[in-house]
Every structure is written in structure tokens, then in C-alpha cells.
């Protein structure tokens, strides 16, 4: 289920054209301008997906986006992610943790990398320099969640200005209904062009830690 806003038309069109974009096919263009139906060959992608596309508003904040897809949530429990953080998070492990804890919500805690070089200094001499050290002190929200449906009904409303991290998660934490699944592996947010460049560089070099599937 995709909670759409900015450039939703492009996202919808990508999936409507998905077979054309991912397959080999032959197209006969006649001299009279007539066009045949494409004949697809044996390379068509065969993902077993069911996707619901929901228009949730151009500037709607995250809490209301979830509220606005609620009519399509037909299970007692659901997973959620923002889509701008990437990692090799064990979703099956997170789900197992969520069920064991028995609370309304679970978020994934991560240790992000610093944007600044870290130095170890002895006197006036730098003896160790790490370009992008992992910040191991404390946890930050990695943006991968599991929720019981009750969370939507009790903690979310349709106010388009409310972020999920503000009142809803803060109240959930005060009610002792929010657990954390601690992820020690790779995680990185893609918030800037610099992040985009780094992550695409890892992918192009075949060193993407989050690629845990076979082509």
C-alpha cells in the first residue's frame, strides 16, 4: 500500500507500465501508422505483488497519511516504512520481536553514521581517523515499524499537520506501548543529494548491504 502525495502520477504510471518497462517485447509498426499489441518474450518480471495506491494529499504529514489509508487496512497488524531510509533490517525478526513484546507498536532502532570524521588524539597528534564512524551511543528511529490496527484507531486522527513522531508516538511511549527492535546492521537515510550519490555508488559497485535477494 502506497500513501501517495508528491509526484503520485509518476509512481502510478510506473506501475501501470511496469511490464513494458521490465520486459523484452516486439512491436510491429505498420506503414499506415497502425500499431500492433506488443508481443512479450520470456523475460517478463513475475513479482507476486498486490499494490493499493492511495492519494493522501500533497503536503499531508505522516500521521494523517496513515489515517487516510486506514480503510484499506484489512488485517489486525501491519508493517510501515517511510521509504527514505534503507538497510538490511530483518523484518521477520522485527515481527517476531513485536509479537513477543505484545505491545501496540514496534520501531526499529538504528545507529546512523556520522557525517563528520572522528579522530582519536594523543596529545597534539591524530593517531586514528575514521571517515564515517557509526554512532554507537544511543538509538535513533530507523523508520521501520510494526503496529497493531488498534494504534490507528486510538492514536491517529486526520489532522494533516501532525507527524507520526510527534504526538502519536510520544503518547504511545508514555502509555508503555512502544517497543524497540535493535538493528545493529547497515542503515542509512537518503535525505540529501550527497546521500543519493553514496547509496547509488554502493549499488553500482555491487556492494549494497541491503541487497539480500537474488536476481
Amino acid at each position: 500500500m502506497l500513501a501517495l502525495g508528491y509526484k503520485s502520477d509518476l509512481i502510478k504510471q510506473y506501475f501501470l507500465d511496469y511490464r513494458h518497462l521490465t520486459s523484452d517485447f516486439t512491436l510491429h509498426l505498420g506503414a499506415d501508422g497502425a500499431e500492433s499489441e506488443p508481443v512479450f518474450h520470456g523475460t517478463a518480471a513475475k513479482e507476486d505483488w498486490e499494490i493499493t495506491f492511495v492519494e493522501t494529499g500533497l503536503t499531508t504529514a505522516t500521521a494523517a497519511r496513515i489515517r487516510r489509508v486506514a480503510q484499506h487496512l484489512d488485517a489486525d497488524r501491519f508493517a510501515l516504512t517511510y521509504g527514505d531510509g534503507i538497510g538490511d533490517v530483518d523484518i521477520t525478526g522485527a515481527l517476531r520481536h513485536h509479537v513477543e513484546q505484545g505491545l501496540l507498536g514496534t520501531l526499529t532502532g538504528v545507529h546512523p553514521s556520522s557525517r563528520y570524521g572522528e579522530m582519536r588524539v594523543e596529545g597534539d597528534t591524530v593517531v586514528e581517523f575514521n571517515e564515517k564512524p557509526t554512532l554507537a551511543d544511543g538509538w535513533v528511529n530507523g523508520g521501520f515499524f510494526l503496529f497493531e490496527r488498534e494504534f490507528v484507531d486510538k492514536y491517529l486522527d486526520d489532522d494533516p499537520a501532525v507527524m507520526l513522531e510527534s504526538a502519536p508516538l510520544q503518547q504511545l511511549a508514555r502509555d508503555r506501548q512502544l517497543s524497540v527492535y535493535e538493528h545493529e546492521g547497515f542503515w542509512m537515510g537518503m535525505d540529501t543529494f550527497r546521500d543519493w550519490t553514496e547509496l547509488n555508488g554502493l549499488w553500482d559497485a555491487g556492494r549494497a548491504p541491503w541487497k539480500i535477494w537474488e536476481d
Side-chain angles (χ1 to χ4, degrees), residues 2 5 22 32 48-49 53-54 65 72 78 82 84 87 92 96 105 110 112 122 135 137 144 157 162 170 178:
L2 299 179
T22 58
D32 58 358
D48 184 17
W49 295 342
F53 301 81
V54 186
R65 290 192 190 277
H72 303 288
F78 64 96
Y82 292 140
D84 60 355
T92 302
R96 184 167 54 248
V110 300
E122 294 180 0
L135 302 177
D137 296 331
F144 292 86
D157 59 34
V162 177
Q170 290 172 13
L178 182 62

Side-chain angles (χ1 to χ4, degrees), residues 2 37 39 57-58 61 64 70 73 76 94 100 112 119-120 123 130 144-146 159 163 169 174 184 189 203 205:
L2 299 179
E37 289 295 316
V39 177
L58 184 61
L73 294 173
D76 295 331
E100 289 171 353
M119 299 179 294
R120 187 161 66 86
N130 296 311
F144 292 86
F145 302 90
L146 287 152
D159 184 344
M163 299 293 288
L169 288 190
R174 285 193 290 269
E184 297 281 5
W203 181 268

